[in-house]
Amino acid sequence: ESARYALSQHLYSSAARIRQLKDCVEKKLTGDDLVKRAVGVLEDFLTQNPTNPNADEAGFSLANAWLDLGNQDESAKLCGRLQKRFTKSKYLDAFLYIEGLANFKLLRFDAAETLLARVATEKFPTESGEPAESNNKWLAIYILGQIHHATGNPADAVLEYTKVADRFTDAKEAIDQFTLKRLALPEVSTFKTGEPCKVKLTYRNVPAVDFAVYKVALMKLYLMRKNLNQITGINLSGIEAMHREKVELGAGTDYKDVEREVAFPVKDSGAYLVVAKGGEADASGMILVTDLKLEVVEDA
């Protein structure tokens, strides 16, 4: 029994090494070949020696082997059986974690969330006999964040990612992206004289925006700037805005880009600079009110 189990572990542990051996690569022998051999030996071992002291560890190895081979469904089913069979095993939390991970990879998010929440919060058997938190606790929390991320629940994703931000770089980057404060306006919005001027504002995590609208001389502005880049840097001190308005946008916890139309009381022909400020975020755009039309003919 010991020899059979040792053989399975030897085959499995050699899988990574064989991928680096030139002779094996030339003979088209891959690490998966050894993993498949290990799977066969492990299944024989568990079938023939159900009471062996290493049976739970063999089940753990077999579940991992199925994951390595990309058979997440078989791995999940096996872990479900192992949990019922080895209720006091030191690998109980690992069985739950692997089953949750397999379900996550299969996009079975509800099942994965239920399993991984147990890994993250419960205590499990140990060799000392004292229950303890799972060694996979932090990985489980990170994947819970990914589940909420994938299912469109950014607030819950941020909550889970925050718990592991100091452990996983990806979690911190996700938080930074979710909590980014952003404002954007179209570079130029054109309307006919007398037509309602409604401009699309794109915002993220900004609770309120202060708008200021200035009538400008378009040619003078062009001669100063040549383009509309960094137009918010124009010194407008001492110039009175023709319109100011504060627009409430919500709690400031959108965690995603949101669009909203904002109407401005602009009717006369001309060019207008719109400046939006919300905390440290700002944006600007031009409104052109004109009856001029541009017709373009292409000569290929």
Side-chain angles (χ1 to χ4, degrees):
E1 292 180 15
S2 297
R4 185 181 295 276
Y5 180 63
L7 173 61
S8 71
Q9 298 304 297
H10 176 66
L11 289 168
Y12 197 1
S13 63
S14 299
R17 186 168 57 88
I18 197 175
R19 295 185 177 97
Q20 310 300 322
L21 298 178
K22 183 178 178 181
D23 292 344
C24 293
V25 173
E26 291 177 350
K27 295 177 181 177
K28 297 182 179 180
L29 298 173
T30 68
D32 285 356
D33 296 326
L34 285 188
V35 175
K36 290 174 183 176
R37 290 279 302 278
V39 164
V41 177
L42 284 167
E43 288 182 331
D44 288 345
F45 175 82
L46 285 168
T47 301
Q48 297 174 23
N49 312 292
T51 60
N52 188 284
N54 292 319
D56 59 344
E57 185 177 350
F60 171 69
S61 295
L62 182 56
N64 275 300
W66 281 125
L67 272 186
D68 286 348
L69 293 172
N71 194 335
Q72 292 91 356
D73 189 55
E74 187 62 39
S75 181
K77 290 177 180 177
L78 173 63
C79 284
R81 297 194 299 271
L82 292 171
Q83 291 163 49
K84 296 176 182 178
R85 181 172 169 183
F86 302 106
T87 57
K88 297 182 180 181
S89 169
K90 64 179 181 179
Y91 292 100
L92 182 59
D93 66 309
F95 299 151
L96 283 165
Y97 173 75
I98 294 172
E99 185 181 2
L101 177 61
N103 277 289
F104 172 68
K105 290 178 177 291
L106 292 167
L107 307 184
R108 300 171 184 167
F109 295 131
D110 289 342
E113 183 178 357
T114 300
L115 293 160
L116 294 170
R118 289 186 60 190
V119 178
T121 58
E122 294 182 11
K123 291 187 176 181
F124 299 92
T126 62
E127 288 183 347
S128 67
E130 289 294 325
E133 292 182 338
S134 170
N135 291 330
N136 297 303
K137 173 181 178 177
W138 303 113
L139 280 168
I141 291 173
Y142 174 60
I143 299 175
L144 285 171
Q146 289 187 308
I147 291 172
H148 294 309
H149 195 157
T151 54
N153 297 307
D156 291 334
V158 169
L159 185 64
E160 300 296 345
Y161 282 147
T162 301
K163 298 174 185 176
V164 294
D166 59 339
R167 298 171 182 270
F168 302 104
T169 303
D170 288 352
K172 185 179 183 305
E173 290 176 351
I175 293 171
D176 292 343
Q177 183 62 30
F178 274 130
T179 58
L180 175 71
K181 295 184 184 297
R182 178 174 178 266
L183 287 174
L185 289 167
E187 189 175 69
V188 180
S189 301
T190 305
F191 303 93
K192 294 180 180 178
T193 305
E195 181 183 6
C197 295
K198 295 183 178 181
V199 178
K200 183 175 69 175
L201 170 70
T202 302
Y203 63 93
R204 175 188 290 220
N205 302 322
V206 178
V209 176
D210 292 307
F211 287 100
V213 182
Y214 302 86
K215 189 167 185 178
V216 296
L218 192 59
M219 182 57 70
K220 186 175 181 180
L221 185 63
Y222 168 73
L223 292 173
M224 288 173 57
R225 291 281 169 169
K226 304 300 182 183
N227 58 49
L228 298 179
N229 292 337
Q230 298 180 341
I231 202 169
T232 51
I234 295 175
N235 184 5
L236 296 171
S237 59
I239 302 176
E240 185 62 31
M242 61 164 288
H243 174 73
R244 290 186 181 274
E245 179 181 358
K246 184 172 185 176
V247 177
E248 300 291 338
L249 300 175
T253 53
D254 308 294
Y255 300 123
K256 61 182 179 180
D257 284 351
V258 182
E259 293 182 353
R260 174 172 174 172
E261 279 194 338
V262 180
F264 297 104
V266 175
K267 297 180 180 179
D268 298 334
S269 297
Y272 301 84
L273 171 62
V274 180
V275 178
K277 292 186 179 295
E280 64 264 34
D282 58 54
S284 65
M286 292 293 298
I287 292 178
L288 296 182
V289 180
T290 178
D291 290 324
L292 293 175
K293 295 180 181 180
L294 181 66
E295 293 184 359
V296 179
V297 177
E298 178 182 358
D299 183 351

